[in-house]
Every structure is written in C-alpha cells, then in structure tokens.
Amino acid sequence: LAGKNNSLSLDTVNATGVAKIKIGDGIISTNNLKLNAGIWRSDLLAEEIKLRKIFADVPVELSNPVRGKFYLNGTTENLAPSGISGSGSAQIAALAGKITAQNIKITNGKYQTLIIPENLHLKELANIDGVMKGLLNVKGNLENFRPTAIAATGSVNFSKGINPIDRALNAKINWNGKRLEVKQATAEG
C-alpha cells in the first residue's frame, strides 16, 4: 500500500493484495488485486456461490452453487455493475445436469456469453422426458437476471422430443426477452 497522506483518497492510493470475501454461502477470492490511481483490476475465483442468496430474480432451478474464474477491472469512481468490465467462465449443476458459461464478456454492466446446457432433465420443470443440451449465445444486464431481460439465440436438442413429437428433436431458437421463436426444428426419423 502506498500513497500520500495529505490527499488520501482511492485516486491517490497504489495497492496490491489478496482477499477472501464470504458471499452467498460461498467464497470469492481476489488474487493479484491491483489499485493504481483509481483504476483497479483483479483475478477472481468464485467457489460455491449460491446466486439465489444474492439475486432474488434467479430461478429456483439454479439454486445449486456456482463456481467460476473472472478477470475484472474498473475504476473507484464507479464500483456499481455498470462500471465493471472483464471476462471469465462459470459453471453450475442444474436439473441433474450442468450449465456452463464460457467466454463471458462484461462491459459497462452488460454481459454476453456462450451458454452450454448439458444433460438437463426437464421432467420436473416442464414435464419433458429425456435430456436437453445445446449452445446458446446469451446477452443481458448484470442488474437484471429475469428471463424478460435476457436475449438468447442458438440451438437446443431434446433427446426424447417435446409433446407431440416423441423422438429426438433439434431446434434453432431465438429468445428476445418476450417471445421464443423457433427458426428451424428437425426431428429424427
């Protein structure tokens, strides 16, 4: 930690360090935290974070802990989500499968990522037999995780179809926050 005591503020402090913060029943570890003239950056490791303990809008199906790695930066003038930029990846177990977020990009409080659902059992959620997998490009805002605030486009596969189709089904979809558009659907057989 270094700075001048006659004008002590975050804009005049230079610091490096590490920290651990308990949040959402888990831990966020900051490694290689650097603050220089009001500009900060850090490598973050999120372990066993329960999103529903932090964000009320997270669906119950995503109650399991999340883990991930992030590389974030910003300024001390704006520590709100709108002032954070960075990248990372995360994973959560859900619906007896897992959901991975790869290539997360965060800019000015908005994010975009590639979501990879794998082997999700939708029986309890939507009364759909079999498992779902896919690749979805997703965009949203860090301050609102409601489905109405998210846009997604990509492909999904239902191993046993969805009613009335009783065989494997592949679909290219687009979700604009209000409406699901099926651009193309193909069933085996």
Side-chain angles (χ1 to χ4, degrees), residues 6-122:
N6 60 351
S7 62
L8 189 60
S9 74
L10 290 176
D11 292 340
T12 62
V13 172
N14 293 330
T16 59
V18 298
K20 289 191 180 209
I21 302 165
K22 285 189 166 197
I23 186 168
D25 290 345
I27 295 176
I28 294 178
S29 302
T30 62
N31 299 308
N32 199 22
L33 175 62
K34 293 184 179 181
L35 173 62
N36 186 356
I39 298 171
W40 64 269
R41 70 174 189 211
S42 182
D43 302 342
L44 299 175
L45 179 62
E47 299 177 273
E48 305 301 315
I49 308 295
K50 293 181 181 172
L51 295 178
R52 285 184 54 85
K53 297 261 182 174
I54 303 167
F55 305 105
D57 296 337
V58 174
V60 69
E61 293 80 20
L62 300 178
S63 295
N64 289 330
V66 172
R67 56 177 197 229
K69 290 183 180 182
F70 300 90
Y71 309 96
L72 302 177
N73 60 71
T75 68
T76 56
E77 291 178 6
N78 185 359
L79 295 173
S82 62
I84 297 173
S85 296
S87 62
S89 62
Q91 188 175 82
I92 185 171
L95 300 167
K98 70 179 177 179
I99 301 171
T100 302
Q102 291 183 347
N103 302 321
I104 300 170
K105 303 282 187 241
I106 301 168
T107 306
N108 299 324
K110 297 183 182 200
Y111 67 88
Q112 67 180 41
T113 184
L114 177 65
I115 298 289
I116 306 168
E118 297 178 70
N119 299 318
L120 302 185
H121 294 256
L122 302 177

